[in-house]
Amino acid sequence: MSECPYEVGDKLRFKPAAYFAGTSGYGSELDVEVTGTVERVHEQHRWYRVRYETPLGAAYECFKF
């Protein structure tokens, strides 16, 4: 089994899944990538969570590894 490529505190740049689906309602901001911080790594279930800021506050996205 491989280890997570990131550690808590690492910065990550990505396009949130909600922006792909067009469901966030931000119009022109849907093509924007965000920079977030890895705040949790769950080795046993093989996922990590990234926190990023939006105009309405904090948002989170989880990724499998």
Side-chain angles (χ1 to χ4, degrees):
M1 185 178 343
S2 64
E3 292 183 11
C4 183
Y6 303 103
E7 294 181 4
V8 172
D10 285 354
K11 298 288 185 191
L12 201 73
R13 188 147 178 84
F14 64 98
K15 184 175 178 181
Y19 291 11
F20 283 107
T23 59
S24 69
Y26 293 121
S28 63
E29 295 180 23
L30 295 177
D31 281 331
V32 175
E33 288 187 336
V34 298
T35 300
T37 305
V38 176
E39 73 165 29
R40 180 165 186 203
V41 176
H42 197 297
E43 293 282 346
Q44 184 179 6
H45 292 286
R46 301 180 46 76
W47 59 265
Y48 58 95
R49 182 169 71 180
V50 179
R51 180 181 195 264
Y52 63 98
E53 294 295 325
T54 72
L56 300 176
Y60 303 87
E61 183 126 2
C62 293
F63 301 91
K64 300 282 283 172
F65 64 89

